Amino acid sequence: MNTRSPLAVLASIVLLFVSLQVNAQGKVSFIEAQKLGNKIDSLAKAGQWQKIETSFFDADELAERAAKGLKLTKDEKASFAAGLKEGLAEAGLFARIAEQTTTFNFLRIKDNGGKYSILFRAEIASGGFNYFDFSIFKNKKGEVKVADLYTYTLVDYISNVIGNIMIAAMPYGFGALDKEGEIIIKTIKAMTKAKNEGKNLKVLEEYNKLPVHIKKQKVFLGFRVAAAQQVSLEEYKLALDEYFTLYPDEPGLNMMLMDRYFLDEDYEKALICINKTDSLVGGDSYLEQYRGNIYTYLDDYEKAEASLKRFLTNFPKNADAYPTYVSLLAANGKYPLAVETLKKWEKATGQNPLEFFSADDFPDFKESAEYQGYLKERK
């Protein structure tokens, strides 16, 4: 028989679902923040995600932040923290990040009005990228640890998401669930199961079963957007539009709106979203690939070439940008640089550039001495 309280059960479920100011004990210095960022970066690159969680993540502080604003007795708060820890043990916050990403790179320390956070950029296995902004604090022992996480595609802190779902599921107190709370828990379970099984249409069906006011919460809107993207272009646009209507001033939303405006071929607005995101994270050369592609659609080939050059200087092993960059060089008569880039492309990625780039589209380049010399070298 399950003897856990409904509160502990719910906290556990919520953590599984989310797996996608504070009681500060002391101020964290920039050097301390940098040191922790480097440790997490090294462990992530070594695949030691569990060590990150056990050594540098404070579940008690996350529970404290999530419970802020909730009317809990001392026993209920303890039960809530226990449930959240159980959810972490079952799912693993950092294990979830590892499953969903192909790269995870320390970008910088952010200064948020005197409080530091650690910003990472990750490439997502299913496509695209995301930023993970870890809030840090110093506990009573003087240890600097991660206490919370803001993800730019979730567009919120995990502590807020957990707290909001708790309030939605138990609006009249935390001793037991009401009927609506039971529906929410059942739907969370079904959506999570469907998401993990890749049944995105089922995710949308379950989303539509939620009460109207619950549908408007960021975490559920985020799940809707992610599922809709895999279902149809129309569903994806509708999901993004509703998200933006409800939260027009949310900074992290610019990442999602890049897609929305690109799909509508509104490239000027897409470029604005890229630049806003770039400013928000303090500058990231990874965005140059997106900026370069947008400049291409805007027929500003000089800026497109410059952006893609900057991107490939920093990310030479990323094959996606090479075809457009080489095409721009060939079209603009920069034949020596085009050939040099073809060689760099193959050396850095192991790909055969001729499988992805066709010189037939650029007759003058195809007949040039530089390109013909390149072909002879490859034989």
Side-chain angles (χ1 to χ4, degrees):
M1 180 177 176
N2 192 339
T3 58
R4 291 186 298 162
S5 72
L7 186 59
V9 175
L10 181 58
S12 172
I13 294 170
V14 167
L15 209 289
L16 282 166
F17 181 64
V18 170
S19 68
L20 102 161
Q21 241 343 340
V22 302
N23 295 325
Q25 304 298 334
K27 189 173 182 179
V28 179
S29 70
F30 179 88
I31 293 175
E32 289 173 319
Q34 186 78 30
K35 186 177 180 181
L36 179 56
N38 288 331
K39 285 181 179 177
I40 294 174
D41 190 47
S42 296
L43 290 170
K45 284 180 169 55
Q48 298 183 39
W49 296 91
Q50 186 61 35
K51 187 172 181 179
I52 297 174
E53 189 135 343
T54 55
S55 300
F56 302 113
F57 180 66
D58 194 312
D60 287 314
E61 180 66 14
L62 176 62
E64 187 71 27
R65 295 181 182 211
K68 186 179 180 181
L70 304 181
K71 296 179 180 179
L72 300 176
T73 66
K74 184 177 179 180
D75 288 343
E76 287 171 342
K77 184 175 287 189
S79 180
F80 171 69
L84 190 143
K85 285 183 177 179
E86 184 172 342
L88 276 173
E90 292 174 3
L93 176 60
F94 285 89
R96 288 279 171 166
I97 294 174
E99 290 172 4
Q100 297 168 8
T101 61
T102 56
T103 65
F104 191 75
N105 295 302
F106 180 24
L107 196 57
R108 64 174 43 85
I109 299 300
K110 285 185 66 184
D111 186 343
N112 309 291
K115 292 181 181 179
Y116 296 112
S117 62
I118 305 172
L119 184 66
F120 281 79
R121 181 220 314 114
E123 291 177 296
I124 308 302
S126 58
F129 69 105
N130 194 6
Y131 293 105
F132 294 82
D133 197 359
F134 295 98
S135 297
I136 58 178
F137 83 116
K138 186 178 290 185
N139 63 21
K140 293 179 180 179
K141 296 179 181 179
E143 301 167 326
V144 179
K145 294 197 173 187
V146 171
D148 207 346
L149 169 62
Y150 182 98
T151 68
Y152 281 55
T153 51
L154 184 60
V155 203
D156 209 345
Y157 287 95
I158 283 185
S159 60
N160 290 340
V161 171
I162 294 172
N164 289 337
I165 292 179
M166 294 293 291
I167 291 173
M170 298 179 175
Y172 304 113
F174 295 89
L177 299 173
D178 65 357
K179 186 174 182 180
E180 187 174 274
E182 292 175 356
I183 293 172
I184 292 170
I185 289 182
K186 183 179 179 181
T187 304
I188 289 174
K189 286 181 176 179
M191 289 178 72
T192 303
K193 183 174 184 293
K195 176 181 178 293
N196 291 338
E197 294 174 352
K199 297 178 180 178
N200 293 292
L201 190 58
K202 176 67 173 175
V203 173
L204 297 181
E205 290 173 356
E206 293 298 332
Y207 170 82
N208 287 325
K209 294 178 183 178
L210 290 167
V212 174
H213 65 285
I214 300 300
K215 287 182 181 179
K216 295 179 181 180
Q217 288 193 13
K218 291 178 182 178
V219 64
F220 293 106
L221 289 169
F223 261 67
R224 180 192 176 190
V225 168
Q229 187 176 22
Q230 304 302 319
V231 171
S232 73
L233 184 59
E234 190 58 34
E235 285 286 351
Y236 184 44
K237 286 183 177 181
L238 288 171
L240 283 174
D241 287 346
E242 183 167 356
Y243 207 137
F244 181 64
T245 298
L246 291 167
Y247 301 100
D249 299 321
E250 183 61 51
L253 196 58
N254 283 291
M255 278 189 61
M256 291 195 218
L257 291 177
M258 287 182 206
D259 255 0
R260 180 66 177 91
Y261 292 133
F262 183 82
L263 293 171
D264 279 346
E265 299 182 8
D266 192 340
Y267 302 123
E268 292 284 0
K269 286 186 178 179
L271 183 59
I272 289 171
C273 288
I274 292 171
N275 291 337
K276 284 183 177 179
T277 300
D278 199 22
S279 177
L280 189 66
V281 300
D284 184 9
S285 57
Y286 187 85
L287 293 169
E288 292 291 359
Q289 180 181 10
Y290 292 84
R291 189 179 283 116
N293 289 336
I294 292 297
Y295 279 134
T296 301
Y297 283 102
L298 290 170
D299 297 330
D300 194 335
Y301 301 121
E302 185 176 340
K303 287 184 178 179
E305 181 185 322
S307 286
L308 293 174
K309 180 181 179 180
R310 286 192 291 270
F311 176 79
L312 288 170
T313 297
N314 289 283
F315 304 96
K317 294 183 179 181
N318 190 309
D320 295 341
Y322 281 104
T324 302
Y325 184 52
V326 173
S327 296
L328 288 167
L329 295 173
N332 292 331
K334 298 180 179 180
Y335 301 159
L337 184 54
V339 168
E340 181 186 328
T341 304
L342 287 170
K343 294 177 181 178
K344 178 182 176 182
W345 179 356
E346 185 164 10
K347 183 178 181 180
T349 69
Q351 290 182 344
N352 177 359
L354 302 185
E355 294 179 2
F356 302 91
F357 168 77
S358 175
D360 293 337
D361 297 330
F362 310 95
D364 292 342
F365 174 63
K366 182 178 181 180
E367 300 302 323
S368 70
E370 291 87 352
Y371 185 68
Q372 290 301 316
Y374 167 71
L375 292 179
K376 289 179 181 179
E377 286 181 17
R378 296 194 84 257
K379 289 182 179 179

